[in-house]
């Protein structure tokens, strides 16, 4: 079966979800424009065509949309197609999916939860390659010491901050967001962009 994709509106703009017979293959956050989003899909999923969503895909889109509107929804049962994903990445993704909305862990804490101490860098590499943004909520994983770490979606770390603010139901990420982390440095305040 040829992969399908659907574009859908979210509070961040137009996103896209790509699926195949085994489940979701990727979720893409908004690009600067629709052409950029379509180019990314074509580059990573050659031959994928825009298609009507099967019921399970429509349900996943509805859940992602609700999450981006600030609802705490469980995306843990959304079926992912993990073909071609390295075994360690799969372990990381399975663990990350258990982090509740609005909460965070560090890369080191994730490595401890995986019984793989010292693998914080490998955890970060797995999350940088995460094709299932939001569904595998890599934005909920921060650097040790209170830093944001990286984020490979359009907008980078600013998008990560915005996602965390949405999940916490705040317009501003206060310095207290990172206060529970050891050795947290002072942080700036970031305002969430509102759609015009």
């Amino acid at each position: 079966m040829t992969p399908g994709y659907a574009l859908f509106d979210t509070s961040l703009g137009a996103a896209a979800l790509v699926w195949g017979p085994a489940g979701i293959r990727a979720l893409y956050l908004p690009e600067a424009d629709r052409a950029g989003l379509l180019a990314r899909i074509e580059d990573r999923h050659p031959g994928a065509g825009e298609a009507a969503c099967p019921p399970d895909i429509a349900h996943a889109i509805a859940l992602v949309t609700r999450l981006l509107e600030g609802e705490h929804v469980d995306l843990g049962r959304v079926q992912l197609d993990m073909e071609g994903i390295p075994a360690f990445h799969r372990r990381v993704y399975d663990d990350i999916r258990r982090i509740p909305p609005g909460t965070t862990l560090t890369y080191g804490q994730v490595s401890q939860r995986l019984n793989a101490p010292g693998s914080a860098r490998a955890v970060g590499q797995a999350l940088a390659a995460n094709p299932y943004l939001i569904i595998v909520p890599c934005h909920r994983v921060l650097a040790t010491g209170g830093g944001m770490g990286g984020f490979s979606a359009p907008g980078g770390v600013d998008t990560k901050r915005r996602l965390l603010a949405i999940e916490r139901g705040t317009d501003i990420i206060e310095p207290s967001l990172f206060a529970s982390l050891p050795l947290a440095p002072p942080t700036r305040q970031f305002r969430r962009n509102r759609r015009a």
Side-chain angles (χ1 to χ4, degrees):
M1 178 174 123
T2 303
Y5 72 84
L7 301 178
F8 60 101
D9 289 326
T10 73
S11 62
L12 301 177
L17 193 140
V18 181
W19 70 89
I24 292 171
R25 293 186 175 179
L27 190 147
Y28 296 104
L29 292 177
E31 297 278 344
D33 56 32
R34 179 184 167 102
L37 187 57
L38 293 174
R40 184 180 289 250
I41 293 168
E42 179 59 33
D43 182 53
R44 296 188 182 175
H45 306 276
E50 193 165 9
C53 297
D56 57 332
I57 300 301
H59 181 66
I61 288 172
L63 290 175
V64 168
T65 302
R66 287 169 46 203
L67 183 92
L68 293 175
E69 290 171 351
E71 280 188 53
H72 283 204
V73 297
D74 181 8
L75 298 171
R77 294 187 180 187
V78 172
Q79 182 66 38
L80 302 177
D81 180 349
M82 294 255 192
E83 183 179 344
I85 302 292
F88 183 75
H89 290 203
R90 290 180 190 212
R91 288 181 59 209
V92 171
Y93 298 166
D94 287 342
D95 185 69
I96 297 303
R97 292 183 83 183
R98 292 193 292 273
I99 302 172
T103 61
T104 58
L105 294 175
T106 65
Y107 299 107
Q109 288 172 320
V110 172
S111 72
Q112 292 293 328
R113 286 164 47 123
L114 295 172
N115 288 324
S119 66
R121 184 178 300 262
V123 168
Q125 290 169 345
L127 296 180
N130 175 17
Y132 316 106
L133 297 173
I134 309 297
I135 299 169
V136 173
C138 53
H139 60 280
R140 298 178 190 155
V141 183
L142 308 175
T144 301
M148 290 300 287
F151 196 58
S152 58
V157 173
D158 287 339
T159 299
K160 186 173 187 174
R161 285 186 183 101
R162 188 170 179 192
L163 291 170
L164 289 170
I166 289 169
E167 289 184 350
R168 288 175 178 251
T170 62
D171 285 339
I172 299 175
I173 295 184
E174 299 289 344
S176 61
L177 172 68
F178 307 108
S180 64
L181 297 175
L183 306 174
T187 56
R188 301 180 313 182
Q189 293 183 351
F190 293 90
R191 294 195 180 277
R192 190 172 99 196
N193 295 330
R194 296 192 181 277
R195 292 181 71 193

